[in-house]
Structure formats: C-alpha cells, structure tokens
C-alpha cells in the first residue's frame, strides 16, 4: 500500500472517529490527532498547518509555568493574560472559559483565583479579553490583539 493510500485511510478513519465527538471540539480534536496519525512524510504536518494548528515535531510542549517564568510577569492580572495566551496558542483553544483559566493556573502551579469570574471581568474591563459565544451555557472568551501583543512583548517575540 502506498504512503498516500495509508494517509488517506488514516484520515478517513480519523474523520469517522471525530464525527462521533461533540461539535464544539471536532476541529480541535482533528488538529490534535492528525499529526499523530500521519508522520512518515510530513503530509500531516502540512495539513495541520493549513488548518491553523501549531505543529512542532520533536519538541516538548511549552508548560504554562515556563511561559510565566519567561515573561517575567508579577501581577495576578498579567499572569492571567499569559495563561490565557497559553490556552490559545499552545493548547490550541479558539476560546476559553473561566474554568479553563482556573485549570491553567493550577497547571502552572500558581495560586488560582478565588473567583475566576471576577478576574475575567477585570480582564474584560481592561480590554484584554472579549466575550465570545456561550457554549452549553458557559461564557467563552478570547484575548484581544492588544493583550496578545503585550504577551509577545513580555516574551520578547513580538512580531513586526
């Protein structure tokens, strides 16, 4: 069986599996699973990049604690922005909820906020996050471009 035939078969099998998942996670699941299914000739990496996913073969994923350390932020609000950036950029979440942000704090081994909704409200009031759709009654958020530029500046990776 040729490499392309194997790739097609793997993509079709993956597609059938993903159809069974909840609609809100299908794209993210496909982006996550596709590079792991097909890695022989790099076609999956190209396909994942076309879908907008960040694929970095042979590299360890960036931990949230490492991102906070690299950015050298100190305030609770700045850490929340960095963790939201981690959710969007490194966890491939198109949007995040207040519970996602709380889990990111826990993953980073940082003190999690007592009231994450209040923290989100402060981020929204300062123009760092914006509301997106509700998924199953849970409000979703997304970083604003100014917040993304802040994090990139803190990390020293600001794009020109």
């Amino acid at each position: 069986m040729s490499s392309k035939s194997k790739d097609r078969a793997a993509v079709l099998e993956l597609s059938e599996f993903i159809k069974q998942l909840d609609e809100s996670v299908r794209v993210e699941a496909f982006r996550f699973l596709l590079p792991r299914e097909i890695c022989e000739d790099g076609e999956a990496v190209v396909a994942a990049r076309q879908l907008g996913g960040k694929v970095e073969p042979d590299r360890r994923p960036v931990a949230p604690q490492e991102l906070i350390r690299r950015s050298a932020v100190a305030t609770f609000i700045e850490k929340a922005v960095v963790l939201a950036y981690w959710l969007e950029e490194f966890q491939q979440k198109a949007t995040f909820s207040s519970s996602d942000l709380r889990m990111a704090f826990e993953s980073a081994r940082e003190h999690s906020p007592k009231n994450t909704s209040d923290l989100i409200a402060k981020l929204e009031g300062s123009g760092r996050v914006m509301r997106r759709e509700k998924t199953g009654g849970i409000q979703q958020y997304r970083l604003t471009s100014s917040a993304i530029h802040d994090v990139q500046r803190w990390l020293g990776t600001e794009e020109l």
Side-chain angles (χ1 to χ4, degrees):
M1 183 183 270
S2 74
S3 175
K4 287 191 177 193
S5 297
K6 287 179 187 176
D7 291 349
R8 276 192 206 111
V11 169
L12 288 173
E13 184 180 336
L14 185 60
S15 179
E16 289 302 314
F17 171 74
I18 289 175
K19 285 179 185 176
Q20 300 170 8
L21 299 176
D22 183 62
E23 199 171 307
S24 64
V25 297
R26 286 182 187 162
V27 172
E28 297 303 320
F30 195 77
R31 285 182 187 161
F32 176 78
L33 293 172
L34 183 62
R36 285 158 179 78
E37 284 293 318
I38 309 169
C39 290
E40 291 176 21
D41 59 4
E43 286 185 33
V45 173
V46 172
R49 284 197 179 117
Q50 288 172 347
L51 289 171
K54 285 189 173 184
V55 177
E56 298 177 9
D58 301 328
R59 296 191 84 190
R60 292 183 84 179
V62 175
Q65 187 177 41
E66 176 68 13
L67 205 59
I68 289 174
R69 189 186 65 73
R70 283 185 197 169
S71 63
V73 294
T75 70
F76 207 57
I77 296 289
E78 289 172 340
K79 287 179 183 180
V81 173
V82 170
L83 291 173
Y85 181 83
W86 177 76
L87 287 168
E88 288 187 8
E89 294 296 317
F90 296 96
Q91 297 299 298
Q92 303 299 310
K93 287 187 156 289
T95 60
F96 59 90
S97 66
S98 59
S99 64
D100 292 331
L101 190 58
R102 179 189 317 256
M103 298 269 257
F105 269 96
E106 291 171 5
S107 294
R109 297 187 178 178
E110 291 285 328
H111 292 288
S112 60
K114 292 178 183 168
N115 186 346
T116 313
S117 297
D118 184 47
L119 176 61
I120 292 282
K122 288 178 183 176
L123 291 172
E124 192 175 13
S126 66
R128 292 185 165 156
V129 298
M130 58 186 165
R131 288 179 186 242
R132 300 297 294 177
E133 72 283 346
K134 281 190 175 184
T135 306
I138 298 172
Q139 182 64 55
Q140 298 291 313
Y141 300 90
R142 185 150 176 96
L143 283 174
T144 61
S145 59
S146 60
I148 292 169
H149 290 297
D150 286 345
V151 175
Q152 290 173 343
R153 189 181 73 242
W154 297 333
L155 293 170
T157 60
E158 192 166 31
E159 296 176 11
L160 300 175

